[in-house]
């Protein structure tokens, strides 16, 4: 838990230039929830060069940040990383560069805390990697999705990689097991997507002509009895895009508790699948400093491998 009994005065270094005040504090105050960060900024307890700031204020080289002493109530503290999670994350790093790293995200772990999630992957990694002054997500994966996740270890790298993402210089290829026989000739799904409130604070996505443009490339990799293994490459990056596009095509992902069907549920049960079958298997991006392409693959976990083995045996 991040606590302090004395005021800290921290000078902004080159690697932190341009970072937002809230993200700077999240890195320094490991264990403090984002709601507390916003509260101390709003109350003026955080100062930059002795002046009040907002959470989205960008820091400059040489700025001096005042960080107040904190004492976190048990109910608001971010959970400490367990030994099991610490070991899991340490063993999940696929490749690491000077200012970036790619991790094979475990299924079931949210990328960040909030909405009842005490600790997410980014908060956990900040505790595990105490050697890093900066660590931010370049993109996100759904909580139940596993596979390649890219993080930046410096502000310049984050900006460069974000530009690569926006400029379609980054490709992400997923493996998904869908219900039914996916038509081999159907290699694209293009349907606008709109986010909506499904009740109980849950946000979902649906196909809607008033939504944002979304396009996904699909390719059949292997056909089974009642299911098809497909490779999916999102051309755009909308929330739940692959899941909603597959369901829109009539072939929802197996193990999908938001967009799946009863028929798909029966197939998943028969194959012994107890999680969403969606895995970010490959990621390609330009190295932030050299611009040379970096391609990384994340192997399927044992559970998904076992599901495919059972599907092959049933053919």
């Amino acid at each position: 838990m991040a606590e302090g009994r004395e005021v800290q005065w921290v000078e902004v270094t080159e690697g932190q230039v341009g970072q937002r005040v809230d993200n700077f504090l999240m890195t320094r105050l490991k264990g403090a929830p984002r709601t507390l960060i916003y509260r101390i900024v709003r109350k003026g307890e955080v100062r930059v060069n002795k002046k009040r700031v907002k959470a989205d204020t960008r820091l400059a080289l040489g700025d001096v940040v005042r960080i107040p002493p904190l004492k976190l109530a048990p109910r608001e503290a971010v959970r400490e990383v367990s030994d099991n999670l610490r070991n899991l994350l340490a063993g999940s790093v696929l490749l690491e560069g000077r200012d970036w790293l790619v991790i094979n995200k475990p299924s079931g772990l949210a990328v960040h805390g909030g909405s009842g999630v005490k600790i997410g992957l980014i908060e956990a990694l900040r505790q595990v990697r105490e050697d890093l002054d900066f660590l931010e997500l370049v993109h996100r994966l759904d909580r139940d999705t596993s596979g390649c996740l890219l993080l930046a270890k410096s502000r310049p790298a984050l900006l460069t990689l974000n530009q690569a993402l926006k400029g379609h210089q980054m490709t992400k290829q997923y493996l998904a097991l869908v219900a039914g026989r996916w038509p081999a000739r159907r290699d694209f799904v293009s349907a606008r997507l709109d986010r909506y409130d499904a009740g109980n604070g849950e946000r979902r996505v649906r196909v809607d002509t008033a939504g944002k443009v979304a396009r996904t490339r699909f390719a059949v990799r292997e056909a089974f009895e009642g299911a098809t293994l497909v490779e999916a490459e999102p051309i755009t990056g909308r929330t739940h895009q692959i899941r909603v596009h597959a369901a829109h095509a009539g072939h929802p992902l197996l193990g999908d508790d938001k967009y799946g069907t009863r028929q798909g549920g029966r197939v998943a049960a028969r194959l012994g699948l107890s999680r969403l079958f969606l895995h970010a298997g490959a990621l390609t991006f330009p190295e932030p400093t050299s611009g040379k392409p970096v391609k990384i693959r994340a192997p399927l976990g044992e559970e998904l491998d076992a599901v495919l083995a059972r599907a092959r045996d049933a053919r």
Side-chain angles (χ1 to χ4, degrees), residues 15 20 26 28 61 93 99 117 134 181 229 269 298 305 313:
R20 286 170 48 126
M26 288 295 294
R28 300 291 307 188
L61 183 65
V93 175
D99 49 10
V117 178
F134 184 101
R181 181 64 63 92
L229 181 67
D305 264 336
D313 289 342

Side-chain angles (χ1 to χ4, degrees), residues 108-149:
L109 179 62
V111 293
H112 58 78
S115 301
V117 178
K118 276 290 186 181
I119 190 167
L121 181 142
I122 185 65
E123 292 88 4
L125 274 178
R126 284 170 178 158
Q127 290 187 43
V128 172
R129 295 297 302 270
E130 295 182 359
D131 57 309
L132 301 178
D133 290 329
F134 184 101
L135 190 63
E136 293 291 341
L137 297 163
V138 175
H139 62 101
R140 298 181 181 185
L141 291 178
D142 293 343
R143 179 173 184 167
D144 295 325
T145 303
S146 56
C148 294
L149 182 68

